[in-house]
Amino acid sequence: MLDNKKISKFAISVVEDLQKNNFQAYLVGGCVRDALTNIVPKDFDIATSATPEQVRKIFKASRIIGKRFKLVHVFNRSELLEVATFRSGDTKKEDGENLITDASGKILRDNIWGTLEQDCHRRDFTINALYYCPITKKIEDNNGGLKHIHKKIIVSIGDPQRRFEEDPVRCLRAIRFSNKLDFKIDNDIKEAIYDKGHLLSDISNARLFDEFCKIYLGGMGEKNFVKLNSFNLNKYLLLSDPNKSDFANSVMVQALRNTDDRIKNEQSTTPGFLMAALLWPTLLSKCTRNGEVNIRKFFRSMDDVLRDQQRLTAIPRKFNSYIKDIWVLQLKLHSRIGSQPYKTLRHPRFRAAYDFLLVRERAAADKGGLGKWWTDFQKDDDSLRGSIISNMNEKDDAESGKIFGFYNELR
Ligand code: ATP
Ligand code: MG
């Protein structure tokens, strides 16, 4: 059974306070599922019979958020909990302002309160609809979620065809959870993904950026990439190289592998680095003709690529210049004579650009040595650096500088 040691003390105290005020309250969703599958839960969601206004009154440090889906954030200095009121989830019973669906059945707003039993039905998968009371230590399981955890399978609550029409993002969630938990996906869900995946084109770019981060910056990026490709869903998250070259695929896989490794080693990651890497093949495809990169086109295409990607996933503005810096530095890394390498080394984004150079080299199985040159150049003190540079002659640099002429070098 579930051990309370796996649950945040703050989350337990919030459940207790709600219950003391005569409301029902449970931990629910990912934290219960993860704790039962020996994954350390990363955040805690609470479901309650109290309305958002009632929750807000009980906790001083709280605020009501959301319009489409109203809920309350309850926080202390280090943690933030999402407290959601039970929803009735009855999409047939349209109720003016509170529940709105569009012509395709997509839920645009759901703020009709309900009971615990009803709340289960609006959740996506049975394993996400387990309600745990940390005081009695009992789990409410109305849909067989415990059995499915035991069987390691993701099963939809209700007909997945209809559920994915209501919210197509569930297609992405099913794939993400199957990799995270190493669970199979039920056949009905697979079929619904094939049938309804195209509805993802109507989902807002902001929501898809959130999902992009969960999919690609959660430590399972490479696996998610492969599985999303097998369902042909990556096109809703990412621009892709129109030539579909092996190189494009390889850069993407290497970049994701690098990010997954960094997460495993508890190193920092940013969507900026990953976007720069994932969009690199698309950028090159726009400015390369007959194997040659046109530098003016390279610079002009950067904004086009970012703008097109923004239509899919809204990349927060602050990452735009970061991404472009990494791209431009790829050119500069090829210039190794005179004072240029010192300037490149001092650039605030040098480290990220260098990491990406290594990713590119790995993707092209290129042992050309540029990455190694920079590895040595960084390590040495200034006097040694001087000798590394004086060992470079124009011919060598021109060799590596083929970046300015030849596509192969850029790869
Ligand atoms: P993780 O936090 O690891 O992404 P999670 O299951 O906790 O997984 P959240 O997005 O935090 O995912 O949502 C919490 C819970 O809310 C889910 O477990 C599920 O019960 C419900 N939920 C979230 N998104 C949806 C959705 N799109 N459709 C139906 N239910 C959802
Ligand atoms: Mg969660």
Side-chain angles (χ1 to χ4, degrees), residues 30-31 42-45:
C31 63
K42 62 171 171 40
D43 51 32
F44 295 88
D45 297 313

Side-chain angles (χ1 to χ4, degrees), residues 238-256:
L238 268 177
L239 288 183
S240 63
D241 168 22
N243 308 321
K244 297 243 173 297
S245 66
D246 289 346
F247 165 69
N249 192 60
S250 183
V251 168
M252 290 173 151
V253 167
Q254 288 298 341
L256 290 164

Side-chain angles (χ1 to χ4, degrees), residues 29-31 33-34 42-43 45 122-124 128-129 163 167 170 173 176-177 180 207 214:
C31 63
R33 175 199 72 214
D34 290 353
K42 62 171 171 40
D43 51 32
D45 297 313
R122 61 109 184 149
R123 295 188 181 268
D124 44 7
N128 285 344
R163 301 303 314 279
D167 181 6
R170 291 169 185 157
R173 289 171 58 87
R176 180 160 63 83
F177 293 136
K180 173 173 174 175
R207 193 157 174 230
K214 290 186 182 183

